[in-house]
Amino acid sequence: MDFGLVLQTDPPASQVVDLMRRAEGKGFGYGWTFDSAVLWQEPFVIHSRILAETQRLVVGPMVTNPGTRTWEVTASTFATLNDMYGNRTVCGIGRGDSAMRVAGRRPNTLARLGEAIEVIRDLAEGREAEVDGTRLRIPWIEDGRLPVWMAAYGPKALALAGQRADGFILQLADPFLTEWMVKAVRRAAADAGRDPAALTVCVAAPAYVTADDSPGALAHARDQCRWFGGMVGNHVADLVAKYGEHSSMVPDELTAYIKDRHGYDYRHHGRAGNPDTDFVPDEIVDRFCLVGPVGAHVEKLRALRDLGVDQFAVYAMHDAREHVVDVYGDQVIPAVNT
């Protein structure tokens, strides 16, 4: 199993670069950042610095979207980084939650997202593609490579990921939901005539390592990770609005917990202590995240690996970022991969 580190691009950018360099030194293979232009600093500028100060780390956004940049700009940005640093980028992409809504726009449609996946990949790899009715090709690209991984939750998005993307990003670490969603993505890939085994599956969630499983230690870990249930809840609320409550299309195990959700303020997005996440119960934190001593992390990661997960990406938006990187590198990653 590969491992990634996910960070927000809060200033100073040097801290983001330092943590990514630390992660590579501890055996992480991927470095991911949020991408929301109003809330955080521009990720691709920081990606360039991360790539310059690492040797093997593959870097990308978790996730960008088709609406905040034109597709040829996105493709050219990735291709430039690849030309400078040797095909070490990956494009995580989705409909757009915070990036679009903070700017007063609606998330992109799945149709637009599906088209963007193919156009961005084609352009970044040097092939011709059509953008807004014009055929384009970036002439200086040679031997470019850009895998595009799509974030998804709902049935139509899962199907699109299987049909179009090179990888699937699932932003929660619940084994039941992981199994359900991975099967849906691979089934869609097979139905589209693609090799379902060729799709990379990346599960991303907060991980908080405690010294023991005492009530106090677990309570603090849960409070540091509760924000994640609120972030996922934005996407779940969209699913409930589309499919209704207790729909046969979406498992109750994903949707039931948002019944007491009342609005969301993006100023606290992805941050420990988010006041809009009081509705998230401990059960959801335990299911969606990895909290507890090292053994609990290893056990859950092995279960996810056995369900077909190729990478676990650690969201480190809490008060123990360096600690989780070090413990994962020194203890968790070796235990999972032996």
Side-chain angles (χ1 to χ4, degrees):
M1 178 182 275
D2 287 329
F3 285 81
L5 178 65
V6 190
L7 299 173
Q8 294 171 339
T9 51
D10 287 316
S14 59
Q15 289 187 357
V16 178
V17 177
D18 288 347
L19 275 167
M20 290 298 186
R21 188 170 56 241
R22 185 182 194 127
E24 183 185 58
K26 290 294 183 177
F28 287 72
Y30 284 75
W32 302 92
T33 70
F34 281 40
D35 178 14
S36 190
V38 174
L39 297 177
W40 301 290
Q41 292 185 333
E42 172 57 33
F44 290 106
V45 176
I46 300 171
H47 291 175
S48 184
R49 183 68 177 271
I50 295 169
L51 288 162
E53 297 199 18
T54 57
Q55 286 72 52
R56 301 173 307 280
L57 206 68
V58 178
V59 177
M62 187 178 282
V63 295
T64 193
N65 72 86
T68 53
R69 300 175 184 84
T70 61
W71 300 350
E72 71 274 15
V73 169
T74 298
S76 182
T77 301
F78 278 110
T80 301
L81 293 173
N82 283 336
D83 186 65
M84 293 172 70
Y85 301 108
N87 285 341
R88 288 169 51 205
T89 66
V90 57
C91 177
I93 195 168
R95 293 177 59 222
D97 176 33
S98 63
M100 297 297 286
R101 286 177 164 135
V102 166
R105 307 184 186 103
R106 295 175 60 85
N108 295 270
T109 65
L110 288 176
R112 179 173 172 81
L113 176 57
E115 184 182 358
I117 287 172
E118 296 194 350
V119 168
I120 291 169
R121 181 172 52 214
D122 282 347
L123 289 175
E125 294 185 344
R127 294 184 294 276
E128 185 180 90
E130 184 174 308
V131 180
D132 296 331
T134 300
R135 301 296 298 182
L136 300 176
R137 179 180 172 274
I138 302 175
W140 49 263
I141 296 176
E142 296 182 4
D143 301 319
R145 181 178 178 273
L146 182 66
V148 181
W149 298 3
M150 179 182 156
Y153 292 106
K156 292 184 178 179
L158 294 170
L160 180 62
Q163 293 160 1
R164 301 283 186 92
D166 302 300
F168 163 48
I169 297 172
L170 173 57
Q171 291 164 308
L172 54 80
D174 176 72
F176 173 83
L177 293 172
T178 297
E179 182 176 21
W180 184 81
M181 293 185 187
V182 169
K183 285 182 176 178
V185 170
R186 296 204 189 282
R187 184 168 56 248
D191 290 345
R194 307 178 73 200
D195 178 6
L199 270 78
T200 301
V201 176
C202 174
V203 162
Y208 198 101
V209 183
T210 60
D212 53 44
D213 57 1
S214 64
L218 292 177
H220 180 75
R222 288 172 181 140
D223 285 345
Q224 286 292 303
C225 298
R226 200 175 307 277
W227 63 266
F228 185 67
M231 187 182 83
V232 174
N234 296 326
H235 304 283
V236 173
D238 288 343
L239 294 178
V240 171
K242 184 177 182 64
Y243 296 104
E245 296 182 1
H246 310 298
S247 168
S248 61
M249 300 289 288
V250 184
D252 283 349
E253 288 84 354
L254 176 62
T255 59
Y257 84 97
I258 69 161
K259 63 182 184 301
D260 295 323
R261 177 182 182 270
H262 301 289
Y264 190 84
D265 186 343
Y266 282 93
R267 289 178 299 175
H268 310 290
H269 189 57
R271 300 190 185 280
N274 186 333
D276 295 323
T277 59
D278 290 344
F279 70 94
V280 180
D282 288 350
E283 175 201 2
I284 289 296
V285 179
D286 291 347
R287 283 175 46 207
F288 285 11
C289 307
L290 279 75
V291 296
V294 167
H297 290 248
V298 172
E299 180 181 4
K300 192 168 190 178
L301 288 166
R302 286 174 174 168
L304 292 170
R305 181 194 60 194
D306 292 345
L307 293 173
V309 175
D310 301 295
Q311 179 185 153
F312 177 65
V314 177
Y315 277 105
M317 276 67 78
H318 49 56
D319 64 1
R321 298 189 302 175
E322 291 84 359
H323 178 69
V324 75
V325 169
D326 291 347
V327 174
Y328 260 65
D330 294 339
Q331 300 181 55
V332 176
I333 294 175
V336 173
N337 287 333
T338 54

